[in-house]
């Protein structure tokens, strides 16, 4: 039987990096086994899901490179892949469940449920549905209906326990007395996640459900639904629950302890391959001490059985380090093309000739693509707009340094990085007896405007004789006030 996996987001905003990690593992497993990867949109809660979010979810998955074989925009044998378009399928399942006594109408109001939960807590009992409507007779039902109450359908959890061999977590047993009768529908009759996903996972012939550990509790419920709907055992998927993602504070990763939207990372200058490489490390590793790999290498080696059970900590510094490595691993030509939109976005020229010359200066200095326009801006701004951002090194002490630098650079017959280096070393380090940092710091600030810049001598060469000398003279004049 060929592998079929899925990612099933309920898009209400930006896609969470946790969902993307899940999508990656699910996708990698399908790709490893030459199976199929599905995108299913879980949009049955119209109050939470918007079309824009559904569109944005697809766009960001495409950006990061997790392509799906069946799903919105592609369709496939089990279309439609948006749950909002599958209502009839759920209604049919609900009718079957009710007809067979596997669903009952519950008329309890939200307020009644809250009161009884509070009372249970006060009495030291676990909260959760107490089964009040499980055995309502027809008269009681009619009375509630006459009152105008709406109902939900609830699943009467049978006695017993559910055991499965989780592909990540091993054998798991959950006793059903831990599981109160749960709702299958909203009060408007629409299906809830637990029912819709159970029906679809089997209908779409999924073989492996890869999802977060927070959904372990859904599994015995969904298996009970499979059984109640008489789905043959062979059609039940296997389950793999991935470890929790936590922030630096060891609490579940959320907006409170970090940036969680994948779009944020895209917009902050991270490469898709860096995101995937990093997310892969959150629960899996290619080999001990091997943190950098391509996605093709990941796919080749990926195995759900090798996924860790321990919570995985999201570490921005490590993500940045990996992004820096991926930037360094690009060819210059690739980096030129990658940087063009970032240059345009910063209002700077994206000229290929310029970038070809400039890329070698910045390639090893960036951990985010957003740094490129900042590092290169000084080369592109018009002289009248050039601004010395970091003035700290341009005090009295810089006066003789800049004088000597100008005197050394002015007579150079050819304007090159090599000659500039030789001239400045001779004049400032040997001539004035300065440490390189004190010698070159003021020159750097004068010509680039910043204390952190691409390498100084190459910068001088790219900036050219006239502009370099003009900036040095300007800085010198500024000191005199
Ligand atoms: N829509 C659910 C979620 O985003 C899917 C859970 C599952 O994978 O079963 O959490």
């Amino acid at each position: 039987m060929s592998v079929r996996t899925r990612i099933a987001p309920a898009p209400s905003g930006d896609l969470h990096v946790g969902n993307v990690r899940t999508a990656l593992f699910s996708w990698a497993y399908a790709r490893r086994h030459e199976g199929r990867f599905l995108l299913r949109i879980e949009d049955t809660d119209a109050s939470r899901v918007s079309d824009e979010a559904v569109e944005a979810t697809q766009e960001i998955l495409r950006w990061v490179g997790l392509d799906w074989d069946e799903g919105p925009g592609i369709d496939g044998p089990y279309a439609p892949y948006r749950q909002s378009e599958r209502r009839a399928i759920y209604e049919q399942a609900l009718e079957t469940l009710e007809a067979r006594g596997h669903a009952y109408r519950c008329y309890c109001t939200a307020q009644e449920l809250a009161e009884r939960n509070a009372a249970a807590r006060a009495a030291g009992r676990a909260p959760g549905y107490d089964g009040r409507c499980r055995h309502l007779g027809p008269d009681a039902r009619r009375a509630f209906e006459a009152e105008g109450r709406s109902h939900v359908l609830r699943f009467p959890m049978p006695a017993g326990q559910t055991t499965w061999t989780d592909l990540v977590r091993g054998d798991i047993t959950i006793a059903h007395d831990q599981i109160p009768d749960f709702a299958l529908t909203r009060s408007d009759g629409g299906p809830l996640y637990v029912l819709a996903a159970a029906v679809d996972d089997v209908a779409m012939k999924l073989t492996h459900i890869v999802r977060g550990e927070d959904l372990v509790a859904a599994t015995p419920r969904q298996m009970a639904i499979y059984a109640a709907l008489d789905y043959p055992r062979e059609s039940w998927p296997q389950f793999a629950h991935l470890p929790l993602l936590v922030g630096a504070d060891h609490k579940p990763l959320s907006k409170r302890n970090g940036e969680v939207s994948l779009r944020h990372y895209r917009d902050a200058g991270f490469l898709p391959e860096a995101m995937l490489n990093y997310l892969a490390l959150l629960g899996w590793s290619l080999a001990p001490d091997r943190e950098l790999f391509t996605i093709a290498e990941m796919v080749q080696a990926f195995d759900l059985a090798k996924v860790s059970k321990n919570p995985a900590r999201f570490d921005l510094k490590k993500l940045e380090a990996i992004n820096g490595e991926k930037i360094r691993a690009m060819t210059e030509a690739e980096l030129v093309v990658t940087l063009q939109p970032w240059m345009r976005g910063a209002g700077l020229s994206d000229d290929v000739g310029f970038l070809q010359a400039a890329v070698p200066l910045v390639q090893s200095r960036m951990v985010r693509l957003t740094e490129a326009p900042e590092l290169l801006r000084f080369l592109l701004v018009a002289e009248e707009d050039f601004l010395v951002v970091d003035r700290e090194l341009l005090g009295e002490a810089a006066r003789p340094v800049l004088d000597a630098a100008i005197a050394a650079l002015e007579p150079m017959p050819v304007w090159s990085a090599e000659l500039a280096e030789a001239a400045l070393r001779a004049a400032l380090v040997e001539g004035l007896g300065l440490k390189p940092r004190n010698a070159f710091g003021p020159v750097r600030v004068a010509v680039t405007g910043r204390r952190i810049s691409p390498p100084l001598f190459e910068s001088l060469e790219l900036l050219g004789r006239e502009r370099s000398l003009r900036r040095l003279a300007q800085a010198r004049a500024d000191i005199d006030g």
Side-chain angles (χ1 to χ4, degrees):
M1 184 168 54
S2 77
V3 166
R4 294 174 58 82
T5 68
R6 48 80 164 170
I7 182 70
S12 57
D14 286 343
L15 200 63
H16 189 294
V17 286
N19 288 131
V20 184
R21 193 270 314 250
T22 301
L24 170 63
F25 285 30
S26 188
W27 173 91
Y29 192 73
R31 292 288 171 261
R32 170 77 184 87
H33 295 279
E34 289 168 15
R36 284 167 86 80
F37 177 66
L38 281 68
L39 171 63
R40 183 174 75 222
I41 302 290
E42 303 213 318
D43 59 347
T44 57
D45 186 351
S47 67
R48 287 189 58 231
V49 181
S50 69
D51 279 347
E52 296 78 70
V54 171
E55 193 37 61
T57 294
Q58 296 181 58
E59 190 208 318
I60 201 78
L61 283 172
R62 275 189 222 108
W63 171 77
V64 83
L66 297 177
D67 56 329
W68 54 97
D69 309 302
E70 295 172 30
I74 302 183
D75 282 349
Y78 306 99
Y81 294 91
R82 273 184 80 151
Q83 288 189 328
S84 57
E85 294 167 15
R86 300 173 63 80
R87 277 286 284 252
I89 298 170
Y90 312 129
E91 269 155 26
Q92 167 102 61
L94 288 163
E95 264 172 41
T96 306
L97 289 172
E98 205 181 357
R100 293 184 189 164
H102 290 302
Y104 63 84
R105 296 181 183 204
C106 166
Y107 294 88
C108 299
T109 65
Q111 194 187 341
E112 287 166 348
L113 294 175
E115 281 166 13
R116 287 185 346 241
N117 275 333
R121 273 194 211 91
R125 282 178 285 121
Y129 191 68
D130 53 10
R132 172 140 343 169
C133 293
R134 206 192 239 216
H135 301 293
L136 284 187
D139 292 344
R141 261 210 261 154
R142 265 194 296 277
F144 278 138
E145 306 260 348
E147 265 180 50
R149 288 196 185 214
S150 59
H151 67 264
V152 301
L153 286 177
R154 262 183 208 283
F155 188 87
M157 201 60 194
Q161 59 180 36
T162 296
T163 297
W164 76 96
T165 303
D166 195 276
L167 297 174
V168 172
R169 309 191 64 80
D171 287 346
I172 299 182
T173 295
I174 297 183
H176 292 185
D177 58 11
Q178 305 295 310
I179 306 177
D181 293 354
F182 55 90
L184 298 166
T185 62
R186 297 188 179 80
S187 55
D188 67 2
L192 284 169
Y193 155 73
V194 69
L195 183 270
V199 168
D200 285 346
D201 284 340
V202 172
M204 295 179 176
K205 301 225 170 2
L206 293 162
T207 57
H208 298 77
I209 304 303
V210 180
R211 61 186 178 190
E213 191 194 276
D214 53 321
L215 287 159
V216 164
T219 302
R221 291 167 169 81
Q222 291 177 327
M223 287 184 169
I225 293 172
Y226 300 160
L229 286 168
D230 272 344
Y231 293 159
R233 266 278 168 180
E234 326 70 85
S235 67
W236 297 20
Q238 290 186 271
F239 288 84
H241 289 94
L242 305 179
L244 203 66
L245 295 192
V246 297
D249 55 2
H250 300 286
K251 303 227 171 80
L253 188 65
S254 74
K255 282 189 191 131
R256 275 182 292 283
N257 56 9
E259 265 304 337
V260 293
S261 101
L262 181 62
R263 178 207 294 263
H264 162 85
Y265 292 97
R266 180 192 68 185
D267 296 348
F270 289 88
L271 292 164
E273 47 276 36
M275 289 312 302
L276 292 184
N277 185 154
Y278 180 64
L279 291 174
L281 296 174
L282 297 176
W284 182 78
S285 72
L286 182 64
D289 303 322
R290 184 74 202 281
E291 301 211 311
L292 273 180
F293 40 81
T294 65
I295 296 314
E297 287 173 310
M298 175 190 183
V299 165
Q300 274 251 302
F302 188 71
D303 186 355
L304 286 167
K306 297 272 164 57
V307 173
S308 158
K309 296 197 236 328
N310 301 324
R313 195 166 61 83
F314 192 90
D315 178 353
L316 183 59
K317 282 273 162 292
K318 195 148 155 190
L319 170 60
E320 284 182 333
I322 287 177
N323 204 47
E325 295 286 354
K326 297 283 181 190
I327 291 173
R328 282 189 277 290
M330 295 173 103
T331 64
E332 281 178 18
E334 283 167 345
L335 189 52
V336 165
V337 174
T338 303
L339 288 180
Q340 281 184 309
W342 293 96
M343 298 300 285
R344 285 196 294 275
L348 296 173
S349 160
D350 64 354
D351 180 73
V352 172
F354 167 75
L355 283 173
Q356 277 167 347
V359 148
L361 273 59
V362 295
Q363 183 159 20
S364 62
R365 288 185 149 64
M366 289 188 284
V367 295
R368 301 180 183 213
L369 299 171
T370 42
E371 289 168 77
E374 287 325 306
L375 287 167
L376 296 176
R377 181 179 298 277
F378 78 96
L379 290 165
L380 292 163
V381 290
E383 287 313 303
E384 40 304 355
D385 298 332
F386 176 71
L387 202 68
V388 176
V389 181
D390 195 332
R391 307 197 65 91
E392 214 176 300
L393 289 173
L394 291 185
E396 278 299 317
R399 190 194 305 263
V401 182
L402 295 180
D403 281 341
I406 294 167
L409 293 172
E410 241 169 4
M412 285 194 336
V414 177
W415 191 261
S416 73
E418 232 168 66
L419 289 184
E421 173 163 12
L424 289 175
R425 275 193 198 286
L428 308 179
V429 180
E430 281 141 42
L432 298 181
L434 295 171
K435 292 205 173 88
R437 191 155 55 101
N438 299 333
F440 303 132
V443 179
R444 181 189 303 279
V445 170
V447 292
T448 71
R450 302 157 38 113
R451 245 186 306 178
I452 297 182
S453 77
L456 177 60
F457 311 117
E458 283 78 1
S459 295
L460 285 166
E461 179 178 314
L462 262 187
L463 191 60
R465 179 194 297 269
E466 197 196 326
R467 295 170 80 198
S468 302
L469 289 173
R470 180 171 161 172
R471 289 183 189 181
L472 285 165
Q474 182 60 49
R476 180 62 189 75
D478 285 352
I479 296 173
D480 282 343

